[in-house]
Amino acid sequence: MVYVVLAVKPLDYRTEQPGWASFAKTTPDTPQRYRIIAFQEDRLTLDIDIAEEQFNIHDIQPLPAKEILLVCARSHYKSPNDFERNGRIYSLGGKFSREILLGDGIQSVQATSNGTIWTSFFDEGVFGNFSWDEPIGSSGLVAWDSTGNKIYDFQPTDGLDSICDCYALNVESDTDVWLYYYTEFPLVHLHHNKIQSVWNMPISGSDGFAVSGNRALFRGGYSDRDTYDLFSLNNNGKVKLLKQLKFTDEAGQTIIAESVVGRGGSLYILSNGLVYRVFVWAV
């Protein structure tokens, strides 16, 4: 299932300050209206309107009990009892249910079938901004229950660096989560919230990957965003590059990705208003 959230009115995401500095806005000057649609293969399965939402929304995830989670990636801290709750939960009928705090500087959010919400964070969410002296996302990866209670913080084991910026997250299931992060760019597999395996990836700066069995497909790193690297993940933590790929559209043109998201063995590529799904087959 692919979920998409669309702003009905023009976006009001940023503001300029004296000196032409530009800052992210958590809330637009006037409430936004969003349209939420979901597809199963090529079939439309959901189409609802969210009216008068006060936050700028950057991501969407389904939750159990017929709920939808809308997420603003930023959150301002004002005092211990005054901060922006940037997780916005609605019914499938478009009725607002509740708000929860998910932290500032969210890079990615992925929810599981049992309602666990995983949030990864970029550097501002890890080290602090928007007055967060003790950032919610200081560990770089946090899990929450659907009522907003924190249930997991990433803790590196011996030999692993802490997360400075989580470049890519892949929540495969209720029990298995994969992450890839700066500075050394390891691929880390969590199983039941414990580090199961680690691979030192020979690619830097990728922002999305899919994984199935001992195969992993990564979007190209800093130097070549539109090449995709297929790797074999060996039991000894070693990695072998199997091949490099480029994907083309129906006209034979290279697909230029605007963003990519990995869930399990599927990599979703957004380009020119289309979503492409690439499968990685387990071996």
Side-chain angles (χ1 to χ4, degrees), residues 211-216 230-235 242 280-283:
V211 62
S212 181
N214 70 338
R215 295 288 187 265
L230 180 64
F231 295 102
S232 173
L233 307 176
N234 299 321
N235 291 332
L242 299 178
V280 178
W281 298 107
V283 176

Side-chain angles (χ1 to χ4, degrees), residues 24 54 85 131 142-143 156 219 244 253:
Q54 61 181 300
R85 293 172 173 82
S131 299
V142 177
R219 185 189 184 187
Q244 291 186 313
Q253 300 298 310

Side-chain angles (χ1 to χ4, degrees), residues 63-67:
L63 292 176
K66 297 182 179 180
E67 291 184 321

